[in-house]
Amino acid sequence: MGRVLTHMTMSLDGFVADPKDQVGELFEWYEAGDVTVPNPNDTVSFRVDAASAEVLRDLTENVGALVAGRRLFDIAGGWGDNHPVGAPVVVVTHRIPEDATTKWPRTTFTDSVEAAIDAARNIAGERDVTIASASIIQQALALGLVDEVCVSLVPVLFGEGIPYFGKLGESHLLLEDPIVVQGRRAVHLRYPVRR
């Protein structure tokens, strides 16, 4: 069975979007180089530096399913049912869209984080599951469902917005020492969760 990873691009002060859910300069690193990292979604392109390309490949090529929250799913228009990681998406929501089966046939909708992780693991098989929504990541961390926390830290300060991390509950979550990759316009950090 693969790992359950989180990955978000984060401002230096801890935000993954501004208060209006806009990513602003956070995604500059996706266009900061001359190495193209292909993906199955024609509306998204990645041209990054060589170090960031290795990180992107590692975070996408072994992904068997992606978990997202309904808010991100709606903002992204469901990625046209073709997320850039190339894997099926599992969405946590209490409001399944009426046209879900026809508009997003590769997308699964569940009503809890636990159910989403279970569904994603079943879909992914031996491949990894990536969580890519801040609120879902926060809940999955609190539930002990995450194996590795990945952050692409970029040189911008938002001052306010949607935080990557939130309240975890009563105890601290210990992480192992990070794997650090210096890219152009991003430092990529991967922290295994201490078990």
Side-chain angles (χ1 to χ4, degrees), residues 11 20 25 29 31 43 47 55 58 74-75 91 93 95 102 111 130-131 140 142 149 159 175 183:
S11 68
K20 296 179 181 177
E25 303 86 355
W29 73 274
E31 300 173 1
T43 64
R47 290 188 50 78
V55 169
D58 191 44
D74 287 347
I75 290 168
V91 178
T93 183
R95 302 172 289 109
T102 56
D111 64 356
T130 298
I131 309 171
V149 175
L175 307 173

Side-chain angles (χ1 to χ4, degrees), residues 97-131:
E98 290 180 20
D99 56 352
T101 55
T102 56
K103 194 168 183 180
W104 300 288
R106 294 183 67 210
T107 301
T108 302
F109 295 89
T110 66
D111 64 356
S112 73
V113 172
E114 297 96 328
I117 299 297
D118 285 344
R121 283 181 181 220
N122 287 333
I123 292 166
E126 296 298 315
R127 301 177 79 197
D128 293 337
V129 170
T130 298
I131 309 171

Side-chain angles (χ1 to χ4, degrees), residues 21 69-76 91-92 95 134-135 162:
D21 279 319
R70 177 67 188 268
R71 184 173 76 192
L72 177 59
F73 179 80
D74 287 347
I75 290 168
V91 178
V92 180
R95 302 172 289 109
S135 65
I162 298 174

Side-chain angles (χ1 to χ4, degrees), residues 143-159:
L143 292 167
L145 300 174
V146 175
D147 299 312
E148 187 172 313
V149 175
C150 305
V151 179
S152 292
L153 186 65
V154 297
V156 63
L157 298 169
F158 272 20

Side-chain angles (χ1 to χ4, degrees), residues 134-135 137-143 163-173:
S135 65
I137 288 169
Q138 293 165 13
Q139 293 173 64
L141 285 167
L143 292 167
Y164 191 157
F165 304 107
K167 186 175 178 180
L168 292 172
E170 299 299 318
S171 62
H172 299 154
L173 178 65

